[in-house]
Structure formats: C-alpha cells, structure tokens
Amino acid sequence: MKPLTIHFISIGGSVMHNLAIALHQQGHHITGSDDEINDPSRSRLEQYGLLPAQPGWNPDAILPTLDAVILGMHARPDNPELQKARELNLPVYSYPEFVHQQSLHKQRIVVAGSHGKTSITSMVLHVLKYHNRNFDYLVGAQLEGFDTMVRLTPDAPIIVIEGDEYGSSPIDRRPKFLHYQPHIVLISGIAWDHVNLYPTYEEYVAQFELLADGMAKSGTIIFDDTDDMLDVIALKEREDVTRQPYDVHPYRIENGKTVLITKSQGQVPVLVFGEHNMKNISGALAVCDHLAITEEMFYEAIQSFKGAQNRLEKVVDTDSTVVFRDFAHAPSKVEATTEAVKAQYPERRLVACVELHTFSSLNKSFLTQYRDKLDRADVAAVFYSPHTLEAKKLEAIDPADIITAFDRPDLRVFTDPAELQSFLKSQQNGHPTVFLLMSSGNNLKWE
C-alpha cells in the first residue's frame, strides 16, 4: 500500500492525535497543526516527532501534494488551513469519514449509546487481544496493553469502533457514528445529552434511529432490552437486519468482590463492579459471540479486564480511604456510578462529587435532569467553574440553581478548586470513606 501524505487540522485532540500516531506507525507521512496542545497529547506527539514546531495555523502547510486533510472538531469553520485546502480542492475528511474510507474492506462493529460505550468497546478489545486476534479499533479512552486509542491497518479483517453521537467536524454536524455504516451495531442506552447540538430529546433519539437505519444488509442490532426507547428503535422492521437484546448479566457480590454467575463456567470473578458494568459485560459478550469468541473464551478473558482509564478507576485504596475517579458527567452516568459504588461498599460512607463541565451539564434548562441522581451518596458535592461558563458563552448559574435542580438541600456547591480540595480532605474523619470524583473536566483531583 502506497504511503499517504496527510495533514491534521487540530491534531491535538484526543482521538485526532492517536489517529495521527497510528497512521505514522503504518508508514504514512503525517503533519499537523493546532492553536493549543496540552498533555498527554503534547508529550505523545513529541515522542513520535509529530508535534507542530509552533502553535497556530499555517496555510503554507497545505500543499497540493497532500492526499488528505483530516479536520478536527476543535477547529473553526473559517480556519485558514481549511480555506486553503478547499481552494486547492483537496479531499477534506472528518476523522470518522476517514476511518470509514480506510475500513471499507473490513467488518465494521460500532458500539454506541449515551452511556457505557467506552466500557463495552474496551471489554471487546480486551477479549480480542487476550485471544491474539488481528483487529483494528477506535476507542475513546486509553487502555492497559494498548499503545494508542486507534489502530488502522491494511490487513486486519475487522474494526471495532466506539461510535460517538457528537458532531463530526465544524463543517459536518452529523453524529460521528453515522459515517461508519456498521455491519454490527450495539446501542447501550439512550439518555438525552449534547443539548447544544440536539435541543430536544426527540432530536437526540432520532440520531440513534438514523444509525440503526444505516445498517448494512445482513446486519445485527444488539440493544439494551431494559431501555424503552431502544425497544422502539430496535423493533422497527428493517430488511435483512437481525435484532438481539441483552440485559444485566447475573452476578453477586461476595466479601466486596463481584462474581458473574454463568451456566457454562460457574462463578467467574471480575475486577469491575456495578449493575451498569454487568450490563456492559452482557453487551460485550453478545458482540464477541458474532466474532467467533465462545462463552468459555469470553469468560476466561474478561476476568483480567481492569476497566478503561478514568472509568471507575481506583486511585487510592487504604483501610480508611478509597478514591475512585470516573468520567461520569451526564445524569444517567452519575446515577449509575453512584449506585454502583454504594452497592459495592454498603458499610462505608460515600462522598460523591460531580464537576459540571459540558455544554449540557452547564445549561440551566438541562440541570433538572440531575434530580435525585446523587441520592445514594451520604455526602454530595458539585463543582463548576464560572470561567468555563464564560468560555462556552453560557448563561451564568447560581449555586442555588444547582441545589434546586439536584433536589438535595444539603448539596455542597463549589466554584473554587482549592475550597473543594479542603472540603474533600475534611471528609477524611477517621471513618471508612469512599470518595467518588465524577468529571469530564480537570478540576476534580485527589491531592
């Protein structure tokens, strides 16, 4: 295969820099630009000799000899490099378009949904790697044993993709997952999110229906049978498409450890916990069944799965203090994660803290979606940054608005990271305590 010359506009993005590294490793010639690149992207790009010499946009880097330009979501529609690429009639792709174009000859498996998609994708990748299968992938978190979050090769027969419903690029607002045209799609659940793109619940749900409608012939839809909206989408008649529901995998908690209850393998210990993860395991098992992975093979491999980075990741474990950090930020994720930790540590005091960071979570009209979502926590706190509100050009929020929205009068609300840290430390009062830090931002840290 002839090496391609590819330029990345906004190379510092999480998936963008991983895709750049993956293509570089395949022998393609990669250049890129961005106005700001932070770690870990910066260090990793530098390690591979792909870090731009200076920040900013450089139209002179857009040459007629480029085979492709990949446009990241962080760039603006009036980006000078994009304008130059259009003047030269160069092929401009969003990264999902490019991944699909490079995967036309592969079996494409897409894992989508408002929650659980990273974990399910990660489980499938872990099982395939454990059994030395040849596969490509795209996943939204760093996984133990994987150098990059993306692998794209000419010879792998399958590709497993975490399908994001967020916009594809600044000039293509369609969900990323609509570009992949999967042969197998798993939809883990639907809970309204990304209100800046989908102002109503109905508009949000419609994107998942379009994903199901775009299935390849002889395709399979795997779906959470407990989600009423998914029942409606999955049971719609589609020519030559098979439907396969899944539910929570049977399990029990014994002495603080979770074991799966199986028909073929007896009790199988696992390192992840929570009812939502037992459902994720069922979904991953269903996907693997279509990839010639037997139940016995799946259960053997899943025992060593530790979870994806920042997905219920344990960062402290002492006799008196256990600390988890989790990417949970949407209401459904906050509720599922809080319930999972309380069920795993019923005798311990649970201190749960959420950072409101996304467009949706900082939207006043959306805040009511968080009602009762922290009820399982013994102590509950919320952090948000007024600076983030200003940067996203959103209406100011008063702490009283958040307390009302969560419907929890004892909720503590913080806007200063130092005050939040002091509060968290004050909760270490000698009693066995579990701290749960839920955020897609950078302000919830255990120090």
Side-chain angles (χ1 to χ4, degrees):
M1 178 178 171
K2 173 181 173 290
L4 302 175
T5 302
I6 305 167
H7 182 80
F8 283 71
I9 301 176
S10 192
I11 196 171
S14 176
V15 173
M16 288 284 281
H17 89 272
N18 273 280
L19 178 58
I21 291 169
L23 293 172
H24 168 76
Q25 290 173 327
Q26 290 296 313
H28 301 294
H29 180 66
I30 305 300
T31 59
S33 58
D34 213 323
D35 57 354
E36 183 179 10
I37 303 178
N38 299 312
D39 276 330
S41 303
R42 182 180 185 83
S43 298
R44 298 186 75 236
L45 288 170
E46 189 170 30
Q47 176 187 347
Y48 289 94
L50 300 177
L51 184 68
Q54 55 191 10
W57 313 112
N58 178 20
D60 291 339
I62 307 301
L63 303 172
T65 52
L66 286 172
D67 294 301
V69 173
I70 301 180
L71 177 64
M73 193 67 189
H74 172 65
R76 296 174 59 87
D78 61 355
N79 183 282
E81 293 183 6
L82 173 60
Q83 291 178 339
K84 178 76 174 292
R86 285 172 152 174
E87 289 168 8
L88 294 174
N89 291 317
L90 294 172
V92 177
Y93 301 94
S94 62
Y95 82 70
E97 286 179 299
F98 184 82
V99 169
H100 174 253
Q101 192 260 345
Q102 296 294 308
S103 306
L104 293 172
H105 58 296
K106 302 177 188 292
Q107 183 185 28
R108 296 180 297 281
I109 300 96
V110 171
V111 180
S114 307
H115 41 253
K117 55 182 175 287
T118 301
S119 293
I120 295 172
T121 307
S122 302
M123 289 173 181
V124 173
L125 299 187
H126 176 84
V127 172
L128 292 174
K129 182 178 177 65
Y130 182 94
H131 290 293
N132 297 312
R133 294 297 176 86
N134 182 20
F135 61 97
D136 286 347
Y137 59 86
L138 188 161
V139 63
Q142 195 64 48
L143 306 180
E144 185 175 290
F146 291 79
D147 293 334
T148 60
M149 292 159 53
V150 182
R151 184 175 189 258
L152 199 56
T153 65
D155 59 335
I158 66 173
I159 183 168
V160 183
I161 302 170
E162 178 182 340
D164 187 353
E165 70 269 30
Y166 203 68
S168 298
S169 83
I171 59 173
D172 180 1
R173 309 299 279 184
R174 290 173 296 172
K176 296 182 183 75
F177 59 39
L178 291 187
H179 290 289
Y180 298 127
Q181 298 174 29
H183 302 94
I184 299 170
V185 65
L186 180 146
I187 306 178
S188 62
I190 298 179
W192 188 26
D193 201 356
H194 306 309
V195 295
N196 54 316
L197 285 182
Y198 314 112
T200 68
Y201 175 70
E202 290 73 23
E203 287 178 79
Y204 182 73
V205 171
Q207 310 311 310
F208 291 91
E209 188 159 10
L210 289 171
L211 171 63
D213 289 342
M215 292 285 299
K217 291 292 180 67
S218 301
T220 300
I221 300 177
I222 301 169
F223 64 99
D224 177 0
D225 198 30
T226 66
D227 189 302
D228 293 340
M229 186 51 65
L230 275 178
D231 279 345
V232 173
I233 291 173
L235 296 178
K236 176 181 173 181
E237 285 297 326
R238 294 180 178 87
E239 185 181 354
D240 203 21
V241 171
T242 303
R243 300 179 292 270
Q244 182 176 346
Y246 68 91
D247 205 333
V248 176
H249 195 293
Y251 73 103
R252 66 166 56 100
I253 301 172
E254 297 179 349
N255 300 317
K257 305 293 183 182
T258 297
V259 295
L260 304 178
I261 302 169
T262 77
K263 293 178 180 178
S264 60
Q265 307 299 310
Q267 293 193 11
V268 176
V270 289
L271 300 174
V272 294
F273 64 88
E275 186 166 294
H276 66 297
N277 269 324
M278 301 305 104
K279 193 179 288 186
N280 293 340
I281 284 175
S282 280
L285 175 60
V287 171
C288 287
D289 179 57
H290 290 276
L291 304 178
I293 296 288
T294 65
E295 280 195 6
E296 181 180 4
M297 294 166 68
F298 180 85
Y299 290 127
E300 179 186 343
I302 203 64
Q303 295 180 55
S304 55
F305 176 71
K306 296 180 180 178
Q309 189 179 62
N310 288 334
R311 268 67 178 182
L312 257 185
E313 182 179 9
K314 188 185 289 184
V315 294
V316 175
D317 188 2
T318 70
D319 290 340
S320 63
T321 302
V322 177
V323 181
F324 289 95
R325 61 183 177 196
D326 193 77
F327 194 70
H329 52 83
S332 60
K333 297 176 184 177
V334 168
E335 181 178 39
T337 302
T338 305
E339 289 183 349
V341 173
K342 190 61 179 178
Q344 195 74 4
Y345 297 89
E347 304 303 320
R348 293 199 179 206
R349 191 162 153 270
L350 173 59
V351 178
C353 184
V354 180
E355 179 180 5
L356 304 179
H357 179 74
T358 66
F359 275 100
S360 296
S361 64
L362 290 169
N363 185 299
K364 257 190 173 183
S365 62
F366 185 80
L367 271 176
T368 56
Q369 301 292 316
Y370 286 95
R371 184 178 301 275
D372 303 330
K373 296 299 187 277
L374 284 174
D375 280 2
R376 293 285 283 153
D378 299 294
V379 178
V382 167
F383 174 87
Y384 73 99
S385 166
H387 174 72
T388 302
L389 278 166
E390 292 173 13
K392 294 181 186 290
K393 298 186 168 128
L394 293 169
E395 182 183 355
I397 296 174
D398 188 84
D401 298 327
I402 295 172
I403 293 170
T404 300
F406 277 77
D407 194 22
R408 181 156 180 163
D410 66 340
L411 183 71
R412 297 291 301 270
V413 181
F414 297 90
T415 58
D416 182 328
E419 290 183 8
L420 173 63
Q421 283 297 323
S422 296
F423 168 75
L424 292 175
K425 293 300 181 185
S426 74
Q427 298 302 308
Q428 288 182 288
N429 52 16
H431 299 290
T433 303
V434 182
F435 292 85
L436 174 58
L437 310 180
M438 297 173 279
S439 174
S440 61
N442 300 309
N443 287 295
L444 288 197
K445 300 173 183 176
W446 187 260
E447 298 177 348

